[in-house]
Amino acid sequence: MSIKVKRRVHVAAAAIISADQQQVLIARRPSNVDHGGLWEFPGGKLAPYETGLEGLKRELHEELGVEIVSAQPLIRVHHEYPDKHILLDVWQVHAFAGEPFGREGQAVRWVPMSELANYPFPAANLPILRAVRLPTEYLITAEEADEARFDGFLERALREDNVRLVQLRAKQLDAAAYVARAQRALALCREYGARLLLNGEPALLEQVEADGIHLTSERLMQLERRPIAENKWLSASTHNQAQLTQAAVLGCDFVSLSPLRTTPSHPEVFPLGWHDFQQLVERAGMPVFALGGMTRFDANHARAVGAQGIASIRDFWK
C-alpha cells in the first residue's frame, strides 16, 4: 500500500502597513483559483531558487507594481490542506516605492486594522491576521506594592516607550486589590491607545472590561476549551512544545515563550537559547513573543528567527 505524499508549497506573503500603522493592504483572490473570492495578503509561490524575500519582491512587482524598500520577517505559518502542505513565509513591509494597484486585474484595498475581521480569508491566513494587529513589544508589569509608583511606572512606559500591549501581573495582590489596580491600569491604557490583558481567571473579564486574559502555563494545561469570547485576546505562558500545542488547541491568539536566556528571577531554569527557540516558533502557528532576559536590543534578532517581538518586565518597567 503506497502512502500519498502531500505537495509542499512555499508561499511568500506581505503585510504592507500604512505609514500611520492603521491600515493594511489586502487583495482578493481570483474566482477561478482555490479559495477564489476570499481576501489574502499579497504574494505568491516561490520559485525553487528563491528565498522568501526574493520571491516576495518579484511577486509584489508583478501583482501590485511596487518595489520593496525595507521589510522584516513577521511570521511563518504551516497549514495542512487535504491535498497539500502550505508554508506561508510572511514579511512586514515597512517601506515601498510606487502606488499599489491590481496589475493582474485583482481587487486591492487598504483596510483599517479594526475592520480586518469583516473580510473572509483562507484559514491559513488567520495567524497573520493576529500578527498584523499586534505590536512588537509586550510589557509585563512588575510586582509593585505601592499603587502610586505602579501608576507612575505604567504611565511612563505608555508615554515614553510607546508600549501598546500590557499584561497586568500582580501575584501579591488579593482579588479586590487586583481588580482595583486593573481598573486604573485600564484607564491609563485606554488613554494611550494600548491593550490590557489580565493575568488571572477568565471570570475577571466580568469585573474589568479589559482586552483579554493571559493564562499561566499551569492554567493553560488545565483547560479543555477556549475560556473567553473570540472578540477578546487570549494569551498564555509557554515553555515547551506540549504547552505550545495546548495553546493552539485552545485557540490562543498569541503566546510568550521562555526563558530564552537565564534570568535573575529564575536562575535555576535552563534557557532555550536562540536555536531551540526558533525550532519551537517555526511550528507554533501563532504569534510568539520572546521572553526571558530580553531587551529592545534583541527585538530585531527575535523577529529574524520568527518571533512577533519581545516581552519584558525590566526593560520597560523603570
Side-chain angles (χ1 to χ4, degrees):
M1 178 178 170
S2 62
I3 299 175
K4 186 176 180 180
V5 179
K6 288 184 179 181
R7 287 188 297 129
R8 297 181 67 86
V9 182
H10 191 171
V11 175
I16 305 175
I17 311 297
S18 61
D20 63 3
Q21 303 292 303
Q22 299 302 308
Q23 295 182 308
V24 62
L25 188 75
I26 60 175
R28 176 173 273 167
R29 294 179 62 80
S31 58
N32 62 341
V33 302
D34 288 347
H35 309 295
L38 299 183
W39 293 85
E40 66 178 356
F41 294 90
K45 297 177 185 177
L46 271 62
Y49 56 85
E50 289 179 318
T51 67
L53 185 56
E54 289 170 345
L56 188 62
K57 287 180 177 179
R58 174 184 52 77
E59 287 285 344
L60 293 193
H61 176 73
E62 294 173 358
E63 291 187 11
L64 302 176
V66 300
E67 304 291 339
I68 294 177
V69 175
S70 67
Q72 191 173 28
L74 178 63
I75 190 171
R76 286 165 62 90
V77 180
H78 292 265
H79 191 85
E80 300 288 344
Y81 286 105
D83 61 332
K84 59 190 172 185
H85 173 99
I86 294 284
L87 169 58
L88 279 172
D89 190 356
V90 189
W91 292 70
Q92 184 170 334
V93 176
H94 299 290
F96 60 91
E99 187 63 33
F101 70 100
R103 291 187 71 180
E104 299 174 342
Q106 76 278 28
V108 297
R109 185 175 300 175
W110 286 104
V111 176
M113 297 286 190
S114 59
E115 296 179 13
L116 275 174
N118 299 332
Y119 291 80
F121 285 80
N125 280 236
L126 296 182
I128 313 173
L129 293 171
R130 296 166 179 162
V132 298
R133 294 171 57 206
L134 287 168
T136 59
E137 296 175 342
Y138 181 20
L139 163 64
I140 302 170
T141 63
E143 296 289 348
E144 178 62 60
D146 185 271
E147 297 300 334
R149 280 174 54 84
F150 177 90
D151 293 352
F153 282 138
L154 177 57
E155 183 169 17
R156 191 213 60 78
L158 294 167
R159 182 183 67 252
E160 298 181 16
D161 287 338
N162 202 35
V163 167
R164 292 297 176 261
L165 183 62
V166 178
Q167 178 200 136
L168 178 57
R169 186 178 185 275
K171 301 294 185 182
Q172 298 175 352
L173 298 182
D174 62 30
Y178 184 91
V179 168
R181 178 174 289 187
Q183 295 286 13
R184 296 196 320 278
L186 181 60
L188 279 171
C189 287
R190 291 287 181 268
E191 180 180 347
Y192 288 93
R195 300 186 185 99
L196 177 68
L197 275 65
L198 307 179
N199 184 321
E201 294 293 339
L204 278 170
L205 290 178
E206 298 172 10
Q207 302 178 68
V208 183
E209 280 292 323
D211 298 285
I213 287 291
H214 177 83
L215 304 172
T216 64
S217 55
E218 293 78 15
R219 188 175 284 113
L220 168 72
M221 300 306 289
Q222 292 168 359
L223 294 170
E224 296 181 357
R225 62 183 64 88
R226 184 183 176 96
I228 60 176
E230 294 288 341
N231 65 345
K232 295 287 188 179
W233 290 93
L234 181 65
S235 72
S237 293
T238 64
H239 311 288
N240 52 48
Q241 182 60 64
Q243 292 168 1
L244 284 168
T245 300
Q246 174 70 351
V249 168
L250 295 187
C252 286
D253 298 297
F254 64 94
V255 297
S256 61
L257 177 58
S258 66
L260 204 144
R261 294 193 180 109
T262 301
T263 63
S265 57
H266 297 89
E268 76 286 355
V269 179
F270 191 78
L272 292 168
W274 287 112
H275 177 270
D276 288 355
F277 177 86
Q278 182 175 16
Q279 295 301 305
L280 289 168
V281 169
E282 175 72 20
R283 291 284 181 169
M286 71 193 78
V288 177
F289 285 92
L291 175 64
M294 293 292 95
T295 73
R296 283 182 156 177
F297 294 106
D298 297 302
N300 285 337
H301 193 161
R303 294 288 296 275
V305 299
Q308 175 73 23
I310 61 133
S312 180
I313 299 175
R314 283 180 296 276
D315 203 47
F316 300 126
W317 198 257
K318 51 194 176 190

